[in-house]
Amino acid sequence: MKTANNPNILTTIQINAIRQLLENTKNILITTHHNPDGDAIGSSMALYHTLKSAGIESTVVVPNTIPDSISWIEGSDEILIFEEQDSSKIDQVFAEAGLIFCLDFNAPRRVGEKMQKPLEASSAVKILIDHHPQPQTSAFDYLYSETSASSTAELVYKFLQLLEFEKHINKAAAESLYTGIVTDTGSFSFSCNDPDIYLITADLIKRGVDAELLHRRIFDTFSEKRLRLMGYAIHQKLLVLHTFHTAIISLTKEELERFDHKAGDTEGIVNLPLSISNINVSILLTERDDLIRLSFRSKGDFEVNKLAGEHFDGGGHRNAAGRNSELSMQETIEKIKTVLPLYLNELQYQI
Ligand SMILES: [Mn+2]
């Protein structure tokens, strides 16, 4: 089904086949990665709302909790949250599906251990729309994968154009697409050099998006404790390694509990050290129940997914990656310090 020359772009023949599938398939599922973020939920709900306004029903299933900052998206209260459902019901949903859209992830394991099984076991036709590098091509029947895209939301918009479904992009779908783009580009501050992103955003505003209001809804939602945790992380826990143009912040479980930490609260902390001049890489370590979670960020050309992949069995994007470490907090910090010299040349580029 994939073309030999350009396996990750949909051909006209494939688009026509997908149009047929949309018309003739009962039980269409839309799903996304574990710990879904603004792009994961935004692109899923955009596809859901657009299909719905074209008269095509679908169900959105996500592996686990939706962050509060995006729970205002219309229809998000109808999303099936896998980990909150009875597993037999979810198994049935996957078993009965005829078509599954896989959005914002590149391999079945990204949906998390529990949901991976029913997803892989399903005999449904699987369509991938994603911007992460190196998709596991064998797991999907159709792939629309563009690593250069800002967000999966951008690709969903382009996919809807290919299907000639733009006329069905209503306000709820436009708000969902805007959410994906604005979160995955850090409010148009990275992965944002392509004019298409602004043309698409302009079109979404024409379709009724109130960009100022949505930006406040998405980003100005901190609790007081969350802001204080950020202050504490910077004031007390920031380690700056000037030689390696790298900053490290580590937060133990006890510290997170002191600030009533909730899922998603540390999001954004990892980006803060990048605002220091000459700091090109930022790494956040947070202690979970039985492991250390690592978040990597970089600015410019430094490929943080390479650093994560070569030493921590991880992946992600050029400027953002995440992994787990089985070592202790201190051992993980020591390991980072040991591997940074290997990248000294790449780390010290001038902006
Ligand atoms: Mn994304």
Side-chain angles (χ1 to χ4, degrees):
M1 251 186 266
K2 296 145 204 159
T3 56
N5 296 335
N6 204 351
N8 300 335
I9 303 295
L10 296 168
T11 63
T12 312
I13 295 168
Q14 289 179 314
I15 285 293
N16 288 334
I18 292 170
R19 214 180 273 123
Q20 294 278 318
L21 281 166
L22 284 170
E23 277 168 24
N24 302 323
T25 310
K26 273 191 194 155
N27 298 319
I28 299 172
L29 280 193
I30 299 171
T31 195
T32 188
H33 59 79
H34 197 254
N35 293 333
D37 56 8
D39 190 32
I41 301 296
S43 49
S44 299
M45 293 311 291
L47 185 59
Y48 166 84
H49 284 300
T50 308
L51 293 180
K52 191 170 177 163
S53 75
I56 300 165
E57 289 299 327
S58 64
T59 304
V60 180
V61 187
V62 304
N64 60 339
T65 342
I66 301 164
D68 285 345
S69 61
I70 47 171
S71 59
W72 54 267
I73 290 181
E74 195 178 317
S76 60
D77 50 341
E78 288 165 37
I79 295 176
L80 288 181
I81 300 171
F82 185 92
E83 287 177 9
E84 292 173 9
Q85 303 282 328
D86 179 321
S87 64
S88 62
K89 180 183 173 183
I90 292 279
D91 285 347
Q92 192 190 348
V93 168
F94 275 94
E96 287 174 356
L99 178 59
I100 303 178
F101 284 95
C102 300
L103 304 185
D104 202 38
F105 65 96
N106 57 0
R109 68 177 183 281
R110 301 285 177 211
V111 302
E113 248 170 73
K114 290 183 193 155
M115 206 168 96
Q116 184 181 348
K117 268 193 197 155
L119 174 64
E120 285 183 322
S122 167
S123 59
V125 174
K126 292 172 192 133
I127 303 177
L128 175 84
I129 305 177
D130 179 46
H131 66 137
H132 293 84
Q134 297 166 330
Q136 188 184 321
T137 53
S138 60
F140 308 98
D141 299 288
Y142 296 89
L143 284 96
Y144 185 28
S145 160
E146 287 237 45
T147 310
S148 61
S150 64
S151 52
T152 297
E154 177 190 338
L155 293 177
V156 166
Y157 181 94
K158 290 178 174 172
F159 174 72
L160 294 168
Q161 278 185 319
L162 291 170
L163 286 175
E164 295 173 10
F165 271 31
E166 303 103 298
K167 57 182 175 294
H168 302 298
I169 301 176
N170 56 17
K171 188 179 170 194
E175 289 182 336
S176 306
L177 290 168
Y178 174 81
T179 302
I181 293 171
V182 78
T183 53
D184 257 25
T185 60
S187 305
F188 304 98
S189 65
F190 48 81
S191 310
C192 61
N193 274 339
D194 184 344
D196 283 3
I197 302 162
Y198 302 91
L199 295 169
I200 293 169
T201 305
D203 181 53
L204 300 178
I205 292 172
K206 277 188 199 158
R207 290 173 195 267
V209 163
D210 182 339
E212 292 179 20
L213 172 73
L214 297 196
H215 197 278
R216 285 199 298 274
R217 279 191 189 161
I218 297 164
F219 295 103
D220 300 341
T221 58
F222 281 26
S223 64
E224 180 187 337
K225 288 238 165 107
R226 182 175 174 185
L227 193 66
R228 290 191 188 279
L229 172 62
M230 270 190 168
Y232 172 77
I234 294 171
H235 189 217
Q236 305 285 335
K237 303 302 303 275
L238 176 67
L239 175 66
V240 180
L241 306 170
H242 287 287
T243 313
F244 301 109
H245 304 269
T246 296
I248 301 173
I249 294 175
S250 58
L251 293 166
T252 64
K253 233 181 132 199
E254 184 278 320
E255 289 167 322
L256 294 170
E257 279 163 10
R258 210 189 304 162
F259 291 91
D260 283 345
H261 169 262
K262 294 192 181 59
D265 275 7
T266 52
E267 205 143 305
I269 292 181
V270 67
N271 294 315
L272 298 171
L274 293 180
S275 59
I276 304 173
S277 139
N278 290 319
I279 291 300
N280 299 327
V281 171
S282 170
I283 307 171
L284 172 70
L285 295 85
T286 47
E287 186 186 6
R288 305 290 165 90
D289 285 336
D290 47 3
L291 48 85
I292 305 292
R293 178 76 190 158
L294 290 140
S295 296
F296 299 83
R297 294 290 184 279
S298 69
K299 59 190 184 200
D301 293 332
F302 187 80
E303 293 170 287
V304 87
N305 53 350
K306 223 174 90 185
L307 174 72
E310 287 173 359
H311 304 283
F312 295 94
D313 177 35
H317 302 283
R318 183 186 65 186
N319 295 127
R323 263 352 265 166
N324 297 327
S325 164
E326 311 269 313
L327 302 172
S328 72
M329 183 72 91
Q330 210 41 51
E331 287 166 342
T332 309
I333 295 174
E334 288 310 317
K335 183 168 175 184
I336 294 167
K337 287 183 179 170
T338 317
V339 302
L340 285 173
L342 305 172
Y343 299 89
L344 187 58
N345 281 339
E346 294 143 275
L347 284 164
Q348 57 194 358
Y349 79 98
Q350 297 296 314
I351 295 178

